[in-house]
């Protein structure tokens, strides 16, 4: 078991011993006092999603972070998401209730390696997936999320694009855009990479009528089995507009909670082996309360990196969410 997985299971036990209703009451009261907003990713623990003022995908969360008037943002997600909020809000307090909640994929590219790749492809633009550090965003021309990666790459004037860090997402984008050369980085999300075609086939045996929804961080083999390929919040839209009433959802299993809440008349199933991102599960109600009490741990991107990274993030927000 790695460190995040070990800490996650320790947290699971701790949380069971605490009165959750009391925690929720305290969080709501203190949030008001601190003039705070709670932004929560779709993969968070169900009880953490339920206290969010907004629950969504990376794009929706960045949009909310850009427009909020709150003085404090409690980011229930992982480090790069809190950094994006900091890039957009240099004067606000950005709290990440567990400072060790990172994204292993975001750490698969660093500024020096990216600069080296640029030297190898001097004509290419760099598109950074939002799952990158602020320092990598500062070295990039554009930023995108899974909700608008295809549209961002289409809008880039250059014909050659270095896409970091997710190789699966880069290949998915390349499959949609034939007139540009996409140079994929060698990164991957271990959670989505771990979902196999056999996991989907196995789930299909129990739910033969179900449509398959995958995240574009999945492998090409799994994406080829999909009826819908969407960002996490895009999955909700797909489930609402589809005629189907059952879905196999190939992404982190936390996603079953917002889907079941938003589309209560339909049924959602994880692939055969439930995919879990232990980092996403590090944030607990107790840690949210503690962060509001202490106004720690904070994430603040250093100003010289922030101003450089802002350009790429603003371009991502300008393009926004494409109509499905
Ligand atoms: P989205 O919610 O933007 O689709 O991203 C998924 C993800 O893996 C975030 O870490
Ligand atoms: Fe990173 Fe994958 Fe976890 Fe998302 S699910 S935070 S991409 S490791």
């Amino acid at each position: 078991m790695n460190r995040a997985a070990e800490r996650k299971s320790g947290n699971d036990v701790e949380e069971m011993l605490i009165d959750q209703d009391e925690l929720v009451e305290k969080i709501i009261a203190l949030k008001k006092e601190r003039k705070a907003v709670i932004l929560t990713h779709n993969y968070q623990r169900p009880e953490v999603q339920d206290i969010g003022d907004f629950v969504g995908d990376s794009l929706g969360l960045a949009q909310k972070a850009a427009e909020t008037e709150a003085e404090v943002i409690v980011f229930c997600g992982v480090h790069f998401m809190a950094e994006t909020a900091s890039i957009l809000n240099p004067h606000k307090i950005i709290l990440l209730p567990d400072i060790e909640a990172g994204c292993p994929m975001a750490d698969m590219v660093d500024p020096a390696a990216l600069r080296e790749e640029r030297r190898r492809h001097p004509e290419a633009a760099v598109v950074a997936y939002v799952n990158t550090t602020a320092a990598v965003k500062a070295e990039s021309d554009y930023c995108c999320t899974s909700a608008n990666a295809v549209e961002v790459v289409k809008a880039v004037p250059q014909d050659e694009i270095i896409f970091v860090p997710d190789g699966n997402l880069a290949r998915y984008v390349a499959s949609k855009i034939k007139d540009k050369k996409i140079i994929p980085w060698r990164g991957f999300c271990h959670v989505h990479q771990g979902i196999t075609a056999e996991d989907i086939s196995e789930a299909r045996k129990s739910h033969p009528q179900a449509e398959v929804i995958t995240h574009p961080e999945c492998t090409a083999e799994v994406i080829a089995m999909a009826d819908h390929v969407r960002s996490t919040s895009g999955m909700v839209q797909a489930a609402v507009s589809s005629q189907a009433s059952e879905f196999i959802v190939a992404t982190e299993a936390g996603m079953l909670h917002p889907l079941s809440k938003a589309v209560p008349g339909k049924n959602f199933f994880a692939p055969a082996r439930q995919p879990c991102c232990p980092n996403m599960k590090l944030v607990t109600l107790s840690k949210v309360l503690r962060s509001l009490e202490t106004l720690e741990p904070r994430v603040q991107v250093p100003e010289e990196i922030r101003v450089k990274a802002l350009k790429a993030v603003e371009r991502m927000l300008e393009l926004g969410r494409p109509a499905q």
Side-chain angles (χ1 to χ4, degrees):
M1 224 193 272
N2 67 24
R3 186 171 158 76
E6 256 173 46
R7 292 196 59 228
K8 175 199 168 287
S9 48
N11 292 164
D12 293 348
V13 178
E14 278 163 32
E15 286 297 293
M16 279 191 311
L17 303 173
I18 302 169
D19 182 338
Q20 303 282 298
D21 293 343
E22 203 180 309
L23 277 179
V24 171
E25 268 176 40
K26 286 184 180 167
I27 289 168
I28 293 170
L30 197 51
K31 185 182 76 169
K32 215 168 155 197
E33 210 176 290
R34 296 289 198 203
K35 296 188 174 59
V37 67
I38 301 180
L39 302 183
T40 308
H41 188 264
N42 285 316
Y43 295 161
Q44 290 285 295
R45 293 168 184 260
E47 65 276 17
V48 175
Q49 295 194 29
D50 293 345
I51 50 137
D53 294 297
F54 175 79
V55 183
D57 62 4
S58 309
L59 182 60
L61 290 165
Q63 288 170 329
K64 288 289 169 193
E67 67 192 36
T68 185
E69 284 176 6
E71 290 172 13
V72 175
I73 299 177
V74 184
F75 221 110
C76 299
V78 290
H79 197 267
F80 75 81
M81 295 178 173
E83 275 195 332
T84 306
S86 168
I87 290 167
L88 292 163
N89 294 290
H91 304 301
K92 292 191 199 294
I93 294 174
I94 315 295
L95 301 173
L96 181 61
D98 189 316
I99 203 67
E100 286 188 29
C103 168
M105 175 163 71
D107 296 329
M108 290 179 183
V109 57
D110 62 66
L114 180 54
R115 279 195 294 271
E116 185 54 38
E117 188 73 346
R118 261 203 202 268
R119 274 194 284 277
R120 276 197 286 271
H121 306 280
E123 304 296 321
V126 173
V127 176
Y129 190 25
V130 71
N131 298 42
T132 43
T133 61
V136 164
K137 288 185 178 78
E139 297 285 336
S140 304
D141 302 304
Y142 299 81
C143 191
C144 71
T145 75
S146 59
N148 65 7
V150 173
E151 288 71 20
V152 167
V153 171
K154 272 188 190 159
V156 172
Q158 286 88 334
D159 294 329
E160 213 180 342
I161 284 133
I162 300 168
F163 192 101
V164 295
D166 188 3
N168 286 333
L169 181 60
R171 284 181 283 276
Y172 174 69
V173 170
S175 75
K176 299 282 168 197
I177 303 174
K178 299 293 177 205
D179 58 347
K180 286 184 194 275
K181 182 179 173 201
I182 317 274
I183 304 160
W185 197 255
R186 41 199 173 274
F188 59 90
C189 162
H190 68 99
V191 180
H192 290 91
Q193 187 75 21
I195 302 172
T196 63
E198 291 71 42
D199 293 333
I200 306 295
S201 306
E202 201 55 41
R204 266 185 174 154
K205 282 185 200 156
S206 316
H207 312 290
Q209 305 301 326
E211 286 187 347
V212 175
I213 311 181
T214 73
H215 195 274
E217 289 175 17
C218 287
T219 63
E221 201 186 2
V222 168
I223 288 178
M225 300 171 88
D227 298 289
H228 314 272
V229 184
R230 293 282 197 282
S231 76
T232 56
S233 292
M235 291 179 179
V236 176
Q237 295 164 0
V240 168
S241 51
S242 166
Q243 298 292 315
S245 58
E246 292 197 331
F247 301 87
I248 295 162
V249 185
T251 195
E252 211 277 344
M255 191 60 215
L256 299 181
H257 184 67
L259 280 166
S260 309
K261 263 178 101 168
V263 204
K266 299 191 179 186
N267 294 317
F268 301 94
F269 306 99
R273 296 170 301 142
Q274 285 223 347
C276 175
C277 175
N279 279 281
M280 277 283 181
K281 302 297 192 267
L282 287 178
V283 176
T284 60
L285 287 182
S286 313
K287 290 181 203 175
V288 171
L289 178 60
R290 208 172 311 136
S291 72
L292 278 165
E293 282 166 351
T294 59
L295 293 180
E296 295 288 344
R298 296 185 192 191
V299 171
Q300 185 163 23
V301 174
E303 190 58 12
E304 67 279 13
I305 293 177
R306 191 193 75 80
V307 289
K308 285 201 225 158
L310 184 62
K311 175 194 66 177
V313 172
E314 280 181 341
R315 285 173 158 175
M316 169 185 95
L317 291 176
E318 273 160 30
L319 240 143
R321 189 179 300 277
Q324 292 293 336

